[in-house]
Structure formats: C-alpha cells, structure tokens
Amino acid sequence: MGILEVLLQSLDRRVIIDAMDLDNDLSHLRRRDLLALTAALAGSLLLRPGGALAQTSGGAPARIGMIGSGRLGGTVGALWVKAGHPVMFSSRDPEQTAALVAKLGPLARAGSVAEAIDFGDVVFLAVPYAAMPEIGRDYGARLAGKVVLDAGNAVESRDGAIAAEAEQNGIGVTSQKYLPGARLVRAFNTLGFTILEREAGRAEPRLAIPIAGDDAAAVQIAASLVRDAGFEPVVVGKLADARRFQRGTAGYGQVVSASELRKTLSLAP
C-alpha cells in the first residue's frame, strides 16, 4: 500500500475516489505532490474535538500562494493561516494586503504575484475572471506544473466576452485553456466570503464545497485544503463537470451539507 493510500485511509471523512484512476495517476505523482498532500492531510488528521488544530513538530504545512487577496482570497487565505499553513498574499492593493498580513501574524506574508506563485506549493486564484488571459500570458510559465485552485466566476457585466466563452464551453475547461500548464482544480467559487467566514468549522455536518479537476492528485490536495479551511469537499468530477456548479447552475450558491449537495447534483452518496 502506498503512502497516499495510507494517508487517505486515515481520514475520518473520506473523499470517494476511483481506485483504478488513482493507481494510474500515482505513476505520475511527483515528490512535490506527496509533500503538499501529506501536509494538507496532516492538518485534517490533527483536528481536535473542540475544533482547534493540534500542531506537531513533524508536520510540514503546505505553502500557499494567493493571487488576489480581496474579500474571497483574504477570507480563505486567513482560514488556511489559522490551520497552520504559511500563506503569501498578493493583490493590486498593497496597503490592504499589508493590513491583512499584520492581522494574521507570522504565518502570513505579502509579496508580488510572481513571488506568491514561486512561494506556493499550491496557488489559489481569486481574481475577476476577465483577468484570466492576462494571468496566463504573464504567469503561465510560472504556474506550469503547480496545483492551482481556481475560484473565479465569469460575470458578463463585469468580465465581458470571456463570460460567454465560459458559459458556452464550461468554466473549468475555459480556465484550463488560459492556464494550460497548471494542474487546475475548481474550488471555492459557489459561496460568498461572508458565508465562508461564518460557516467555516461549524459543527457537523460541515458546509459542502464542490470541487472538480482532471488531475486526481491535485484534486486530493484541494480536498484536503478544503477540510483544513473547515468545510467538506464534494468531488463533482473532471474540469468539464465544473460547469455543474458554475454561476447560474443548480450547484451554485448551495449552503448545504455534503450529502445534500450530492443529492442535488445526483452524485453517489
């Protein structure tokens, strides 16, 4: 039994995965993936009954780079800092980012977009969707091979023509088009920051966060980080399936448990 299977079996709340797909993907699993996944899973395993994270000297937290540190990015990044992960925040508002970092303490730091990407084992993308082509053009090479959690939503009134493209082709497929080298996972796009801030770490059943991606190892890393933030991941499928919880669909805006979301999306229990 491999290290990944051992770690997954140790979780109290397991993501249901296809064993054959995982076996195939393990042959491509890199050392960086194992380090990031081990760190993320360790955070889930160390949850005490009272909800606080127990820290151990042997655990190696995942380093997370945030592109966009506004309401959504700032909220999710803060939850990861509280869970023990070092986080580098970047945004177009250095003063706001500096204030956020000062409030969060020594595990938080500020940097440029390039610095945040280089810093992170995982990158969290929370920017207006119209910026996707620019991010791909300016930072695509840096993002190649990285696990990237994409939380963007395409809004026609704000983002223009790319919103129509995301509506026609599906937002997961569209994001991958602009970030072709990234190991992309759609996550944290369905709920506003106030709900995430309020509901994080609530008593069971935890609030569901749908996720989707083509890279099985990247999806498992994302699922573990969802847990570390205080939620329950629901794996919906591949990037093409991310359209099932993009803006304006049945899976969007669901403030429900994992079992309720699976029922809404007709997923296996």
Side-chain angles (χ1 to χ4, degrees), residues 165-249:
E165 182 181 0
E167 177 66 25
Q168 179 177 350
N169 300 328
I171 197 164
V173 172
T174 303
S175 293
Q176 188 73 87
K177 169 188 170 182
Y178 291 104
L179 304 174
R183 303 170 62 209
L184 195 73
V185 182
R186 288 284 297 168
F188 286 106
N189 71 291
T190 63
L191 298 171
F193 76 99
T194 55
I195 295 174
L196 295 175
E197 189 173 52
R198 182 183 72 236
E199 300 292 333
R202 75 181 191 186
E204 298 287 353
R206 293 286 175 91
L207 182 66
I209 299 294
I211 64 176
D214 292 343
D215 185 310
V219 168
Q220 295 310 307
I221 291 169
S224 297
L225 288 172
V226 168
R227 286 196 180 91
D228 283 355
F231 308 101
E232 182 68 19
V234 173
V235 180
V236 176
K238 303 292 187 180
L239 283 175
D241 300 306
R243 70 185 310 149
R244 301 186 64 192
F245 57 93
Q246 71 186 59
R247 191 170 181 267
T249 65

Side-chain angles (χ1 to χ4, degrees), residues 63 88 112-121 123 142-143 146:
R63 293 155 61 98
M88 179 176 284
S112 67
V113 172
E115 288 170 336
I117 293 170
D118 292 345
F119 173 84
D121 301 314
V123 174
R142 272 190 157 90
L143 289 168
K146 293 266 188 179

